[in-house]
Amino acid sequence: MHRSDLQPYWNTNVARHPGILRAVPEGCGDALDVGCGDGLLARKLTSRAERVTGIDSSARMVSRARDLAGDQPGLTFVQGDFLAAGLPAGGFDFVCSVSTVHHTDFEAALTRMRELLRPGGTLVVVGLAREATWADWAARIAALPLVRITKVVRRARSGPEGMPTADPCMSYGQVRGAARRLLPGVRYRRHVLRRYSLVWRKPAV
C-alpha cells in the first residue's frame, strides 16, 4: 500500500494518529479501532499489529472502509454498536477511539473498552469536550491563532464525507474526573487542537 493511501487528508483527528500509533505495544497481536469511520487509522494500525478490527455504527462508513482496504490481510471491518457487538472480552492488546465517545454514553464506552482489553493492554481515547470554565475558554481563545494557522498550512478538511457529527455534552473537567475514576492511573492530556487524550494500561494479572 502506498503512503499516499494512508495520508489522503489531514484534520484535527488525523493530527492525533502519530501519537496513537506510538502507543501501540510491542508485539501487538490484536488491535481494535472503535468508531473507525473510513478506516484510515485502522489501515495505519496494520503496520503495528498483526490483526486489526475496525468497528463503526455507520453502514456507509464501514462500506467505504472496506472499499479502501481492499483485500488487505489482517484487517476486518464490522458494522454495529460496539457496546452491544459480539467482540471478545479480553480479546485485544490495543484499543483506540478517535472522536467517538461523545456520540454515546461516556462511562459505558470506557467500561466496555476496559473489558475488551487483555491484561497489560493499552487503551487510547481521543475525544471532544465542551468548555465549561473561564480557564477552559481562556485556553481555547489563546490557541485560536495557532489552530487557524495550522489548519490553513495543512489544508485541513472536516473529514470523510458522510461522517456522523455530534456536539460534546461533557466538559473537560467531567471527562477527566470520570476517566480517573474508571481507569485508575490514566494519563489525561488536553491538546491545542481542541482534543483531549486518555492513555491507560490495563494492569497485568
Short mmCIF file of all heavy atoms in Angstrom, two decimals, residues 110-167:
data_model
loop_
_atom_site.label_atom_id
_atom_site.label_comp_id
_atom_site.label_asym_id
_atom_site.label_seq_id
_atom_site.Cartn_x
_atom_site.Cartn_y
_atom_site.Cartn_z
N LEU A 110 -16.16 3.72 28.08
CA LEU A 110 -14.88 3.43 28.71
C LEU A 110 -14.89 2.08 29.41
O LEU A 110 -13.91 1.33 29.38
CB LEU A 110 -14.50 4.53 29.70
CG LEU A 110 -13.49 5.56 29.17
CD1 LEU A 110 -14.02 6.26 27.93
CD2 LEU A 110 -13.11 6.56 30.25
N THR A 111 -16.02 1.75 30.04
CA THR A 111 -16.13 0.45 30.71
C THR A 111 -16.02 -0.69 29.71
O THR A 111 -15.33 -1.69 29.95
CB THR A 111 -17.46 0.36 31.48
OG1 THR A 111 -17.51 1.40 32.46
CG2 THR A 111 -17.61 -0.99 32.15
N ARG A 112 -16.69 -0.53 28.57
CA ARG A 112 -16.64 -1.56 27.53
C ARG A 112 -15.24 -1.70 26.96
O ARG A 112 -14.74 -2.82 26.76
CB ARG A 112 -17.63 -1.20 26.42
CG ARG A 112 -17.62 -2.12 25.22
CD ARG A 112 -18.10 -3.51 25.55
NE ARG A 112 -18.38 -4.26 24.34
CZ ARG A 112 -18.30 -5.58 24.25
NH1 ARG A 112 -17.96 -6.30 25.31
NH2 ARG A 112 -18.59 -6.19 23.12
N MET A 113 -14.57 -0.60 26.69
CA MET A 113 -13.20 -0.66 26.18
C MET A 113 -12.26 -1.32 27.18
O MET A 113 -11.39 -2.11 26.81
CB MET A 113 -12.71 0.75 25.84
CG MET A 113 -13.42 1.39 24.67
SD MET A 113 -12.81 3.07 24.38
CE MET A 113 -14.07 3.70 23.26
N ARG A 114 -12.45 -1.01 28.45
CA ARG A 114 -11.65 -1.63 29.50
C ARG A 114 -11.83 -3.14 29.50
O ARG A 114 -10.87 -3.90 29.66
CB ARG A 114 -12.06 -1.02 30.85
CG ARG A 114 -11.26 -1.49 32.05
CD ARG A 114 -11.83 -0.86 33.31
NE ARG A 114 -13.18 -1.35 33.59
CZ ARG A 114 -14.03 -0.77 34.43
NH1 ARG A 114 -13.68 0.34 35.06
NH2 ARG A 114 -15.23 -1.28 34.64
N GLU A 115 -13.06 -3.58 29.31
CA GLU A 115 -13.36 -5.02 29.30
C GLU A 115 -12.77 -5.72 28.08
O GLU A 115 -12.40 -6.90 28.15
CB GLU A 115 -14.87 -5.23 29.33
CG GLU A 115 -15.54 -4.81 30.63
CD GLU A 115 -17.05 -4.82 30.54
OE1 GLU A 115 -17.58 -4.97 29.40
OE2 GLU A 115 -17.71 -4.70 31.58
N LEU A 116 -12.67 -5.00 26.96
CA LEU A 116 -12.17 -5.61 25.73
C LEU A 116 -10.67 -5.78 25.73
O LEU A 116 -10.13 -6.58 24.96
CB LEU A 116 -12.59 -4.75 24.52
CG LEU A 116 -14.09 -4.71 24.21
CD1 LEU A 116 -14.38 -3.67 23.15
CD2 LEU A 116 -14.58 -6.09 23.76
N LEU A 117 -9.97 -5.07 26.60
CA LEU A 117 -8.52 -5.16 26.67
C LEU A 117 -8.05 -6.42 27.39
O LEU A 117 -8.63 -6.83 28.40
CB LEU A 117 -7.94 -3.97 27.41
CG LEU A 117 -7.65 -2.69 26.65
CD1 LEU A 117 -7.11 -1.64 27.62
CD2 LEU A 117 -6.67 -2.92 25.51
N ARG A 118 -6.98 -7.00 26.88
CA ARG A 118 -6.30 -8.06 27.61
C ARG A 118 -5.51 -7.45 28.76
O ARG A 118 -5.13 -6.28 28.71
CB ARG A 118 -5.33 -8.80 26.68
CG ARG A 118 -6.03 -9.63 25.61
CD ARG A 118 -5.03 -10.38 24.75
NE ARG A 118 -5.74 -11.20 23.77
CZ ARG A 118 -5.53 -11.19 22.47
NH1 ARG A 118 -4.60 -10.39 21.97
NH2 ARG A 118 -6.23 -11.97 21.66
N PRO A 119 -5.22 -8.21 29.81
CA PRO A 119 -4.33 -7.70 30.87
C PRO A 119 -3.01 -7.23 30.26
O PRO A 119 -2.41 -7.92 29.43
CB PRO A 119 -4.14 -8.92 31.78
CG PRO A 119 -5.39 -9.72 31.58
CD PRO A 119 -5.74 -9.55 30.12
N GLY A 120 -2.58 -6.04 30.65
CA GLY A 120 -1.36 -5.47 30.10
C GLY A 120 -1.58 -4.70 28.83
O GLY A 120 -0.64 -4.08 28.30
N GLY A 121 -2.81 -4.71 28.29
CA GLY A 121 -3.12 -4.00 27.06
C GLY A 121 -3.23 -2.50 27.26
O GLY A 121 -3.33 -2.00 28.39
N THR A 122 -3.21 -1.77 26.15
CA THR A 122 -3.21 -0.31 26.19
C THR A 122 -4.46 0.25 25.53
O THR A 122 -4.88 -0.22 24.47
CB THR A 122 -1.97 0.26 25.47
OG1 THR A 122 -0.78 -0.21 26.13
CG2 THR A 122 -1.97 1.78 25.48
N LEU A 123 -5.04 1.26 26.17
CA LEU A 123 -6.21 1.97 25.64
C LEU A 123 -5.84 3.42 25.37
O LEU A 123 -5.21 4.07 26.21
CB LEU A 123 -7.34 1.93 26.67
CG LEU A 123 -8.56 2.83 26.41
CD1 LEU A 123 -9.28 2.41 25.14
CD2 LEU A 123 -9.52 2.81 27.61
N VAL A 124 -6.21 3.91 24.20
CA VAL A 124 -6.02 5.33 23.86
C VAL A 124 -7.35 5.88 23.36
O VAL A 124 -7.92 5.35 22.39
CB VAL A 124 -4.94 5.53 22.79
CG1 VAL A 124 -4.80 7.02 22.46
CG2 VAL A 124 -3.59 4.98 23.25
N VAL A 125 -7.83 6.93 23.99
CA VAL A 125 -9.05 7.61 23.58
C VAL A 125 -8.73 9.06 23.28
O VAL A 125 -8.12 9.75 24.10
CB VAL A 125 -10.14 7.53 24.68
CG1 VAL A 125 -11.34 8.38 24.28
CG2 VAL A 125 -10.56 6.09 24.92
N VAL A 126 -9.11 9.50 22.10
CA VAL A 126 -9.02 10.92 21.74
C VAL A 126 -10.45 11.42 21.60
O VAL A 126 -11.25 10.80 20.89
CB VAL A 126 -8.25 11.12 20.43
CG1 VAL A 126 -8.32 12.58 19.99
CG2 VAL A 126 -6.80 10.68 20.59
N GLY A 127 -10.77 12.49 22.30
CA GLY A 127 -12.16 12.92 22.30
C GLY A 127 -12.35 14.42 22.27
O GLY A 127 -11.39 15.20 22.30
N LEU A 128 -13.61 14.80 22.21
CA LEU A 128 -14.01 16.21 22.26
C LEU A 128 -14.76 16.45 23.56
O LEU A 128 -15.46 15.57 24.06
CB LEU A 128 -14.95 16.56 21.09
CG LEU A 128 -14.37 16.68 19.69
CD1 LEU A 128 -14.09 15.31 19.09
CD2 LEU A 128 -15.34 17.45 18.80
N ALA A 129 -14.62 17.67 24.08
CA ALA A 129 -15.37 18.07 25.27
C ALA A 129 -15.75 19.54 25.10
O ALA A 129 -15.27 20.22 24.19
CB ALA A 129 -14.54 17.86 26.53
N ARG A 130 -16.59 20.02 25.97
CA ARG A 130 -17.04 21.42 25.87
C ARG A 130 -16.38 22.27 26.95
O ARG A 130 -15.99 21.77 28.01
CB ARG A 130 -18.56 21.50 26.01
CG ARG A 130 -19.10 21.04 27.34
CD ARG A 130 -20.60 21.23 27.44
NE ARG A 130 -21.11 20.73 28.70
CZ ARG A 130 -21.08 21.43 29.84
NH1 ARG A 130 -20.57 22.65 29.87
NH2 ARG A 130 -21.58 20.90 30.96
N GLU A 131 -16.23 23.54 26.64
CA GLU A 131 -15.68 24.49 27.60
C GLU A 131 -16.74 24.81 28.66
O GLU A 131 -17.89 25.07 28.31
CB GLU A 131 -15.24 25.78 26.90
CG GLU A 131 -14.01 25.64 26.03
CD GLU A 131 -14.28 24.98 24.68
OE1 GLU A 131 -15.47 24.83 24.32
OE2 GLU A 131 -13.31 24.63 23.99
N ALA A 132 -16.35 24.76 29.92
CA ALA A 132 -17.31 24.99 31.00
C ALA A 132 -16.80 25.97 32.05
O ALA A 132 -17.56 26.40 32.90
CB ALA A 132 -17.67 23.67 31.67
N THR A 133 -15.53 26.34 31.99
CA THR A 133 -14.95 27.25 32.98
C THR A 133 -14.23 28.38 32.26
O THR A 133 -13.94 28.31 31.06
CB THR A 133 -13.95 26.52 33.90
OG1 THR A 133 -12.81 26.12 33.11
CG2 THR A 133 -14.59 25.27 34.52
N TRP A 134 -13.89 29.41 33.03
CA TRP A 134 -13.11 30.51 32.45
C TRP A 134 -11.76 30.00 31.96
O TRP A 134 -11.26 30.46 30.93
CB TRP A 134 -12.92 31.62 33.48
CG TRP A 134 -14.14 32.46 33.69
CD1 TRP A 134 -14.95 32.50 34.79
CD2 TRP A 134 -14.71 33.38 32.75
NE1 TRP A 134 -15.99 33.37 34.61
CE2 TRP A 134 -15.88 33.93 33.37
CE3 TRP A 134 -14.38 33.80 31.47
CZ2 TRP A 134 -16.69 34.87 32.72
CZ3 TRP A 134 -15.19 34.73 30.83
CH2 TRP A 134 -16.32 35.26 31.45
N ALA A 135 -11.17 29.07 32.68
CA ALA A 135 -9.88 28.51 32.26
C ALA A 135 -10.02 27.77 30.94
O ALA A 135 -9.14 27.86 30.07
CB ALA A 135 -9.34 27.58 33.34
N ASP A 136 -11.13 27.04 30.78
CA ASP A 136 -11.37 26.33 29.51
C ASP A 136 -11.43 27.32 28.35
O ASP A 136 -10.81 27.12 27.30
CB ASP A 136 -12.69 25.56 29.58
CG ASP A 136 -12.63 24.33 30.45
OD1 ASP A 136 -11.51 23.84 30.73
OD2 ASP A 136 -13.71 23.84 30.85
N TRP A 137 -12.21 28.38 28.54
CA TRP A 137 -12.38 29.35 27.47
C TRP A 137 -11.09 30.12 27.20
O TRP A 137 -10.77 30.43 26.04
CB TRP A 137 -13.52 30.32 27.81
CG TRP A 137 -14.86 29.72 27.56
CD1 TRP A 137 -15.75 29.26 28.49
CD2 TRP A 137 -15.47 29.49 26.28
NE1 TRP A 137 -16.87 28.75 27.88
CE2 TRP A 137 -16.72 28.87 26.53
CE3 TRP A 137 -15.07 29.72 24.97
CZ2 TRP A 137 -17.58 28.51 25.49
CZ3 TRP A 137 -15.91 29.36 23.93
CH2 TRP A 137 -17.16 28.76 24.19
N ALA A 138 -10.34 30.43 28.25
CA ALA A 138 -9.06 31.13 28.07
C ALA A 138 -8.10 30.28 27.25
O ALA A 138 -7.39 30.79 26.36
CB ALA A 138 -8.44 31.45 29.43
N ALA A 139 -8.07 28.97 27.52
CA ALA A 139 -7.20 28.07 26.77
C ALA A 139 -7.62 28.01 25.31
O ALA A 139 -6.78 28.01 24.40
CB ALA A 139 -7.23 26.68 27.40
N ARG A 140 -8.92 27.97 25.07
CA ARG A 140 -9.41 27.90 23.69
C ARG A 140 -9.07 29.18 22.93
O ARG A 140 -8.60 29.13 21.78
CB ARG A 140 -10.91 27.66 23.67
CG ARG A 140 -11.50 27.64 22.26
CD ARG A 140 -12.96 27.27 22.26
NE ARG A 140 -13.51 27.32 20.90
CZ ARG A 140 -14.76 27.00 20.60
NH1 ARG A 140 -15.59 26.59 21.54
NH2 ARG A 140 -15.18 27.07 19.34
N ILE A 141 -9.32 30.32 23.55
CA ILE A 141 -9.06 31.61 22.89
C ILE A 141 -7.57 31.78 22.61
O ILE A 141 -7.18 32.24 21.53
CB ILE A 141 -9.60 32.76 23.75
CG1 ILE A 141 -11.14 32.70 23.79
CG2 ILE A 141 -9.14 34.10 23.22
CD1 ILE A 141 -11.77 33.61 24.81
N ALA A 142 -6.74 31.39 23.58
CA ALA A 142 -5.29 31.53 23.40
C ALA A 142 -4.78 30.67 22.24
O ALA A 142 -3.82 31.03 21.56
CB ALA A 142 -4.57 31.14 24.69
N ALA A 143 -5.44 29.54 22.02
CA ALA A 143 -4.98 28.61 20.98
C ALA A 143 -5.52 28.94 19.59
O ALA A 143 -5.03 28.39 18.59
CB ALA A 143 -5.39 27.19 21.35
N LEU A 144 -6.51 29.83 19.50
CA LEU A 144 -7.17 30.09 18.21
C LEU A 144 -6.21 30.46 17.08
O LEU A 144 -6.32 29.91 15.97
CB LEU A 144 -8.23 31.17 18.38
CG LEU A 144 -9.59 30.70 18.91
CD1 LEU A 144 -10.52 31.90 19.10
CD2 LEU A 144 -10.23 29.69 17.96
N PRO A 145 -5.26 31.40 17.30
CA PRO A 145 -4.36 31.75 16.18
C PRO A 145 -3.57 30.54 15.67
O PRO A 145 -3.45 30.34 14.46
CB PRO A 145 -3.44 32.81 16.80
CG PRO A 145 -4.24 33.39 17.92
CD PRO A 145 -5.02 32.24 18.48
N LEU A 146 -3.04 29.73 16.58
CA LEU A 146 -2.28 28.56 16.17
C LEU A 146 -3.15 27.56 15.45
O LEU A 146 -2.74 26.96 14.44
CB LEU A 146 -1.63 27.90 17.39
CG LEU A 146 -0.84 26.61 17.12
CD1 LEU A 146 0.29 26.86 16.13
CD2 LEU A 146 -0.30 26.03 18.42
N VAL A 147 -4.37 27.37 15.94
CA VAL A 147 -5.29 26.43 15.31
C VAL A 147 -5.59 26.86 13.88
O VAL A 147 -5.55 26.06 12.93
CB VAL A 147 -6.60 26.31 16.12
CG1 VAL A 147 -7.64 25.50 15.35
CG2 VAL A 147 -6.32 25.67 17.48
N ARG A 148 -5.87 28.15 13.69
CA ARG A 148 -6.21 28.66 12.36
C ARG A 148 -5.04 28.52 11.40
O ARG A 148 -5.19 28.10 10.25
CB ARG A 148 -6.65 30.11 12.47
CG ARG A 148 -8.02 30.29 13.11
CD ARG A 148 -8.33 31.74 13.36
NE ARG A 148 -9.67 31.92 13.92
CZ ARG A 148 -10.11 33.04 14.48
NH1 ARG A 148 -9.30 34.09 14.55
NH2 ARG A 148 -11.33 33.11 14.97
N ILE A 149 -3.85 28.88 11.86
CA ILE A 149 -2.66 28.79 11.01
C ILE A 149 -2.39 27.34 10.63
O ILE A 149 -2.10 27.02 9.46
CB ILE A 149 -1.44 29.40 11.73
CG1 ILE A 149 -1.62 30.92 11.86
CG2 ILE A 149 -0.16 29.07 10.97
CD1 ILE A 149 -0.58 31.56 12.74
N THR A 150 -2.48 26.45 11.61
CA THR A 150 -2.21 25.04 11.36
C THR A 150 -3.19 24.47 10.34
O THR A 150 -2.80 23.73 9.42
CB THR A 150 -2.30 24.23 12.66
OG1 THR A 150 -1.36 24.74 13.61
CG2 THR A 150 -2.00 22.75 12.41
N LYS A 151 -4.45 24.81 10.47
CA LYS A 151 -5.46 24.29 9.54
C LYS A 151 -5.22 24.80 8.12
O LYS A 151 -5.41 24.06 7.14
CB LYS A 151 -6.86 24.68 10.02
CG LYS A 151 -7.32 23.87 11.22
CD LYS A 151 -8.76 24.21 11.60
CE LYS A 151 -9.27 23.30 12.71
NZ LYS A 151 -10.68 23.58 13.06
N VAL A 152 -4.81 26.06 7.99
CA VAL A 152 -4.53 26.61 6.66
C VAL A 152 -3.31 25.94 6.05
O VAL A 152 -3.33 25.50 4.89
CB VAL A 152 -4.33 28.14 6.74
CG1 VAL A 152 -3.80 28.67 5.40
CG2 VAL A 152 -5.63 28.84 7.10
N VAL A 153 -2.23 25.83 6.83
CA VAL A 153 -0.99 25.25 6.32
C VAL A 153 -1.19 23.79 5.93
O VAL A 153 -0.69 23.33 4.90
CB VAL A 153 0.13 25.37 7.38
CG1 VAL A 153 1.35 24.56 6.98
CG2 VAL A 153 0.51 26.83 7.58
N ARG A 154 -1.94 23.05 6.76
CA ARG A 154 -2.15 21.63 6.49
C ARG A 154 -3.33 21.35 5.57
O ARG A 154 -3.65 20.22 5.27
CB ARG A 154 -2.35 20.88 7.82
CG ARG A 154 -1.17 20.92 8.78
CD ARG A 154 0.09 20.35 8.16
NE ARG A 154 -0.07 18.97 7.78
CZ ARG A 154 0.23 17.93 8.57
NH1 ARG A 154 0.73 18.14 9.77
NH2 ARG A 154 0.06 16.70 8.13
N ARG A 155 -4.00 22.42 5.14
CA ARG A 155 -5.17 22.29 4.26
C ARG A 155 -6.20 21.34 4.87
O ARG A 155 -6.64 20.38 4.25
CB ARG A 155 -4.74 21.80 2.88
CG ARG A 155 -3.81 22.75 2.16
CD ARG A 155 -3.41 22.25 0.79
NE ARG A 155 -2.52 23.20 0.13
CZ ARG A 155 -1.99 23.00 -1.08
NH1 ARG A 155 -2.27 21.88 -1.74
NH2 ARG A 155 -1.19 23.90 -1.61
N ALA A 156 -6.55 21.65 6.09
CA ALA A 156 -7.46 20.80 6.85
C ALA A 156 -8.83 20.72 6.19
O ALA A 156 -9.30 21.68 5.58
CB ALA A 156 -7.60 21.32 8.28
N ARG A 157 -9.45 19.58 6.35
CA ARG A 157 -10.84 19.42 5.94
C ARG A 157 -11.58 18.70 7.05
O ARG A 157 -10.97 18.09 7.93
CB ARG A 157 -10.95 18.67 4.62
CG ARG A 157 -10.65 17.19 4.70
CD ARG A 157 -10.82 16.53 3.34
NE ARG A 157 -11.05 15.10 3.49
CZ ARG A 157 -11.12 14.26 2.47
NH1 ARG A 157 -11.00 14.70 1.25
NH2 ARG A 157 -11.34 12.98 2.67
N SER A 158 -12.90 18.75 7.01
CA SER A 158 -13.69 18.27 8.14
C SER A 158 -13.58 16.76 8.34
O SER A 158 -13.67 16.27 9.44
CB SER A 158 -15.16 18.65 7.96
OG SER A 158 -15.67 18.12 6.75
N GLY A 159 -13.40 16.02 7.27
CA GLY A 159 -13.29 14.56 7.41
C GLY A 159 -13.98 13.86 6.27
O GLY A 159 -14.46 14.51 5.33
N PRO A 160 -14.08 12.56 6.32
CA PRO A 160 -14.73 11.81 5.23
C PRO A 160 -16.19 12.26 5.05
O PRO A 160 -16.90 12.51 6.03
CB PRO A 160 -14.68 10.36 5.72
CG PRO A 160 -13.58 10.32 6.72
CD PRO A 160 -13.58 11.67 7.38
N GLU A 161 -16.61 12.36 3.81
CA GLU A 161 -17.99 12.74 3.53
C GLU A 161 -18.95 11.72 4.13
O GLU A 161 -18.75 10.51 4.01
CB GLU A 161 -18.21 12.81 2.01
CG GLU A 161 -19.59 13.27 1.62
CD GLU A 161 -19.77 13.33 0.11
OE1 GLU A 161 -18.75 13.18 -0.61
OE2 GLU A 161 -20.92 13.50 -0.34
N GLY A 162 -19.97 12.21 4.82
CA GLY A 162 -20.95 11.32 5.43
C GLY A 162 -20.64 10.92 6.86
O GLY A 162 -21.42 10.20 7.48
N MET A 163 -19.52 11.39 7.40
CA MET A 163 -19.17 11.06 8.78
C MET A 163 -20.16 11.70 9.74
O MET A 163 -20.38 12.91 9.70
CB MET A 163 -17.76 11.55 9.10
CG MET A 163 -17.30 11.26 10.52
SD MET A 163 -16.82 9.56 10.75
CE MET A 163 -15.19 9.59 10.02
N PRO A 164 -20.80 10.92 10.63
CA PRO A 164 -21.75 11.50 11.59
C PRO A 164 -21.05 12.47 12.54
O PRO A 164 -19.89 12.28 12.90
CB PRO A 164 -22.26 10.27 12.36
CG PRO A 164 -22.00 9.11 11.45
CD PRO A 164 -20.74 9.45 10.72
N THR A 165 -21.74 13.53 12.93
CA THR A 165 -21.18 14.51 13.84
C THR A 165 -22.12 14.70 15.03
O THR A 165 -23.33 14.44 14.94
CB THR A 165 -20.95 15.86 13.15
OG1 THR A 165 -22.22 16.37 12.68
CG2 THR A 165 -20.00 15.71 11.98
N ALA A 166 -21.56 15.16 16.14
CA ALA A 166 -22.36 15.45 17.35
C ALA A 166 -21.57 16.41 18.21
O ALA A 166 -20.34 16.39 18.22
CB ALA A 166 -22.66 14.16 18.11
N ASP A 167 -22.28 17.26 18.93
CA ASP A 167 -21.63 18.17 19.86
C ASP A 167 -21.39 17.45 21.20
O ASP A 167 -22.26 16.70 21.66
CB ASP A 167 -22.50 19.40 20.10
CG ASP A 167 -22.61 20.27 18.86
OD1 ASP A 167 -21.63 20.35 18.10
OD2 ASP A 167 -23.70 20.86 18.65
#
